[in-house]
Amino acid sequence: VTARSTIYEVARRSGVSIATVSRVMHDGVGFSAATRERVLAAAADLGWVPSGPARGLASRRAGIVGVLFPDLGASGEAEEESPLYVDEVIRGAERAATAVGDAVLIAATRGASGRDLAYSVAGKVDGLVVMARSLAEHDIEAISRSVPIVVFANRPARRGHDCVGADNRGGVGAIVAHLVQEHGYTDLAFVGGPARSPDSVERFAGFRKALNTAGLPVLDSPDAEGGFTEVGGARAIRALLADRRPPHAIVCGNDEMAIGALAVLRTAKLRVPGEVAVTGFDDIASARHMRPPLTTVRQPMRDLGEEAVRVLLERVNDPDAARCSVVMPTQLVIRRSCGCRTRSAEGREWLAS
Amino acid sequence: VTARSTIYEVARRSGVSIATVSRVMHDGVGFSAATRERVLAAAADLGWVPSGPARGLASRRAGIVGVLFPDLGASGEAEEESPLYVDEVIRGAERAATAVGDAVLIAATRGASGRDLAYSVAGKVDGLVVMARSLAEHDIEAISRSVPIVVFANRPARRGHDCVGADNRGGVGAIVAHLVQEHGYTDLAFVGGPARSPDSVERFAGFRKALNTAGLPVLDSPDAEGGFTEVGGARAIRALLADRRPPHAIVCGNDEMAIGALAVLRTAKLRVPGEVAVTGFDDIASARHMRPPLTTVRQPMRDLGEEAVRVLLERVNDPDAARCSVVMPTQLVIRRSCGCRTRSAEGREWLAS
DNA sequence: TTGTAGGCGTTATCAT
DNA sequence: ATGATAACGCCTACAA
């Protein structure tokens, strides 16, 4: 690890000008085969790696896209962590970026310093994917004046920005429809996540709408709230059971709360799905290993991450194109916790391979 | 999203020189309060974000650390995916980096283009954390001549590089010791991961050593191999059962294979842990939800990621310090699949909160 | 096919 | 407290 060598040294060692070195490294034309060899040899010899900053400065392209995500847990916000799916989204983003030779810069905005980090990151990238709740609307606005931004969330498109998200409403709607139509449940409860989470808000909206459509009564707010965590879900269910007799089905805002719900119901001697049905959202890995396997809704998180970066890169290449707003479909995953008897299927079919 | 404005515009609008603008933005001294206000106002006004590349070029510090990880699945390598724990490591790295105001650049090295990506990334960062199996030794060597590298793996330190990893041997050793001493098992089988995975190799080494210590016979290679996946684990167990009568205990190289094992054993009507004990490694989220809850070894993946970046940043600041090699301890997590009856405890205690 | 020279937007070093 | 002005390492017309 000695001082980084520069293009000048490579040029000198191979007896050509820096322009030729640059050409060999990138253009692929404009030099003889012999020259090429000499340059490549000299480069390898020195262990030279072109300076990203210098390249970025000269070409006005960093070759980097950024992803900002929230890290709520660290900031002490009530037992809530950075959502699990963040990792999936990041992986997806990485794939889409890598596909075009770009790299992905990630940063969690936590606490007060998160804002500064966001600005710092903005300066280092060609474009930014901002996940819900990671940056104040005001800052998004400011930053987007110098760097293209794609908002990763679920609200209907914010004005002026591209945005991509999953169909939360439709997902919950499908679950409710299944619960009502297939199982004939009429008394459903909803356990929400953090009140300010767009995901949670959208899912509850979907719940309300579906119940309305089915002609069933609905509350104005979730029957209980559990902050999207297992402990939170457990607590919410305990509160729920203390309040009223068990509903036919408990629709949880995400899988983790549903898992917490299952544990509490078990200790309360309420059989699932016999006496109470339970559903989740997200389809995290644990979902199909639960007892009973959890009926839930799968979000294509990785695909969403890929799509977000694709949209971002398009905008980077064409700042004047029309804004776009992508809503990707979700998929109902029926297992046992809703009352269905899909034995053998889910969670075992793969054993056949 | 108009053309990015520059420090010159900010300087002009606030009636000062670019030097002063720079000072206001970073130094924190060398200007009057009034000047400061004007500059800040102008900057906010323009939505100006200092150019990372320009800063990096001038200051010789990108403010970015890179993390390279393998993505085996995509390259078609036998039913194997990018290890689950990669996400955790990345999160840890992100924390450590953010703590000092740096951002993290991630890139998966898959297929042939992975190599190019690696070099490209190397040029953009101040230092690089290279996870096992993501880059050929040869390339690590080449790149490390211009950028500090920390190898994230588990082999005994490679020559010349800092390296950090978990105590795989010790972890498996603890499991075996428990199985032998507490439960009196004498016939243990080991299911390995990919043959070339350092993790897998180290874990099997730990297995052998522990059996030796216990005075029990050992094979030269794993009894079966499952590529670190559920399907692979299932397949391995089927092969194992076809070969010989069930062992007392099956020590799996990771949790996912153990989960596959549980499924196969269930369909084979072999009770766990009644007739066969099963253990895993990693302690992924699903582990404690399994039936029975999985006895396993927890690796502090996030901490490892943090540590790797800390070590890296130290080296960036002091290239001549002595090489260091960090091995972090693992922790035995006893649940039910080994035969222990820790009912109520694991996986439920949190309900009390 | 190859070389020359002028930016790119900051930081940092001198002056003032 | 503030302003000029060299670097910084590379890309890219423009020449040759």
Side-chain angles (χ1 to χ4, degrees), chain B residues 80 85 133 154-155 193-202 228:
Chain B
E80 182 186 2
Y85 62 73
R133 309 181 75 201
N154 331 75
R155 312 185 186 172
R196 292 180 317 180
S197 156
D199 279 318
S200 187
V201 170
E202 285 294 304
F228 276 164

Side-chain angles (χ1 to χ4, degrees), chain A residues 122-172:
Chain A
K124 296 169 178 165
V125 303
D126 297 321
L128 212 46
V129 173
V130 176
M131 294 185 63
R133 309 180 74 198
S134 58
L135 200 54
E137 191 78 28
H138 168 262
D139 292 313
I140 291 184
E141 176 53 41
I143 290 179
S144 73
R145 268 190 294 167
S146 43
V147 178
I149 284 188
V150 167
V151 175
F152 189 95
N154 330 73
R155 312 184 184 174
R158 313 197 188 190
R159 46 175 204 145
H161 301 124
D162 296 309
C163 96
V164 356
D167 184 14
N168 280 312
R169 295 196 190 211
V172 175

Side-chain angles (χ1 to χ4, degrees), chain B residues 8 25 27 37 39 57 65 77 83 92-93 112 135 149 154 202 210 213 215 242 248 264 269 278 287 295:
Chain B
Y8 286 98
M25 297 306 288
D27 292 358
E37 291 316 315
V39 170
L57 183 55
V65 301
E77 182 155 343
L135 200 53
I149 284 188
N154 331 75
E202 285 294 304
T213 303
H248 296 157
V264 168
K269 308 286 190 205
V278 170
T295 287

Side-chain angles (χ1 to χ4, degrees), chain B:
Chain B
V1 184
T2 160
R4 235 134 140 153
S5 44
T6 75
I7 197 175
Y8 286 98
E9 304 179 43
V10 177
R12 197 165 45 67
R13 289 189 45 141
S14 47
V16 299
S17 71
I18 63 168
T20 295
V21 173
S22 181
R23 281 194 273 266
V24 169
M25 297 306 288
H26 310 295
D27 292 358
V29 293
F31 47 80
S32 67
T35 302
R36 183 190 136 86
E37 291 316 315
R38 291 215 313 288
V39 170
L40 256 26
D45 225 44
L46 288 164
W48 173 65
V49 178
S51 155
R55 269 161 55 76
L57 183 55
S59 66
R60 273 150 252 235
R61 245 191 126 270
I64 302 178
V65 301
V67 175
L68 249 40
F69 60 96
D71 192 348
L72 288 2
S75 70
E77 182 155 343
E79 71 189 26
E80 182 186 2
E81 279 193 20
S82 193
L84 258 182
Y85 62 73
V86 166
D87 297 313
E88 287 287 311
V89 176
I90 290 176
R91 291 282 194 111
E94 192 279 329
R95 287 210 174 161
T98 296
V100 300
D102 278 14
V104 173
L105 193 60
I106 63 174
T109 55
R110 41 177 153 263
S113 64
R115 216 187 76 104
D116 294 339
L117 222 212
Y119 278 84
S120 162
V121 166
K124 295 170 177 165
V125 303
D126 296 321
L128 211 47
V129 172
V130 177
M131 293 185 63
R133 309 181 75 201
S134 59
L135 200 53
E137 191 77 28
H138 168 260
D139 292 314
I140 291 183
E141 175 53 39
I143 290 179
S144 72
R145 268 191 292 165
S146 43
V147 179
I149 284 188
V150 167
V151 175
F152 190 94
N154 331 75
R155 312 185 186 172
R158 313 196 187 192
R159 42 169 208 146
H161 301 125
D162 296 308
C163 100
V164 356
D167 184 13
N168 280 312
R169 296 197 190 211
V172 176
I175 275 200
V176 171
H178 176 79
L179 258 20
V180 172
Q181 291 167 19
E182 300 299 318
H183 298 286
Y185 303 139
T186 55
D187 180 12
L188 317 200
F190 185 86
V191 178
R196 292 180 317 180
S197 156
D199 279 318
S200 187
V201 170
E202 285 294 304
R203 289 172 197 174
F204 182 59
F207 180 77
R208 294 196 57 184
K209 186 175 166 208
L211 283 194
N212 259 323
T213 303
L216 295 171
V218 211
L219 270 52
D220 280 340
S221 56
D223 300 74
E225 299 197 330
F228 276 164
T229 65
E230 273 190 44
V231 275
R235 182 174 320 182
I237 299 303
R238 274 197 297 266
L240 191 73
L241 295 180
D243 258 16
R244 39 111 86 227
R245 65 177 168 64
H248 296 157
I250 300 178
V251 176
C252 296
N254 75 347
D255 287 347
E256 282 150 291
M257 296 195 296
I259 289 174
L262 290 181
V264 168
L265 291 171
R266 189 183 312 129
T267 67
K269 308 286 190 205
L270 282 168
R271 291 181 313 137
V272 177
E275 300 172 72
V276 189
V278 170
T279 65
F281 203 106
D282 285 347
D283 194 27
I284 63 179
S286 295
R288 68 170 220 274
H289 293 132
M290 296 309 297
R291 201 86 161 183
L294 201 60
T295 287
T296 186
V297 171
R298 182 178 303 148
Q299 299 195 76
M301 279 310 172
R302 188 167 298 210
D303 295 339
L304 281 167
E306 287 193 47
E307 185 62 19
V309 167
R310 261 194 301 262
V311 169
L312 181 60
L313 290 174
E314 270 173 34
R315 172 135 331 277
V316 168
N317 293 326
D318 179 5
D320 299 319
R323 305 294 170 226
C324 82
S325 176
V326 179
V327 176
M328 295 187 74
T330 53
Q331 180 193 350
L332 181 59
V333 178
I334 294 178
R335 288 198 269 248
R336 310 271 289 273
S337 69
C338 61
C340 281
R341 312 201 125 273
T342 64
R343 56 186 344 154
S344 83
E346 269 303 335
R348 295 197 193 175
E349 75 282 8
W350 53 267
L351 283 176
S353 68

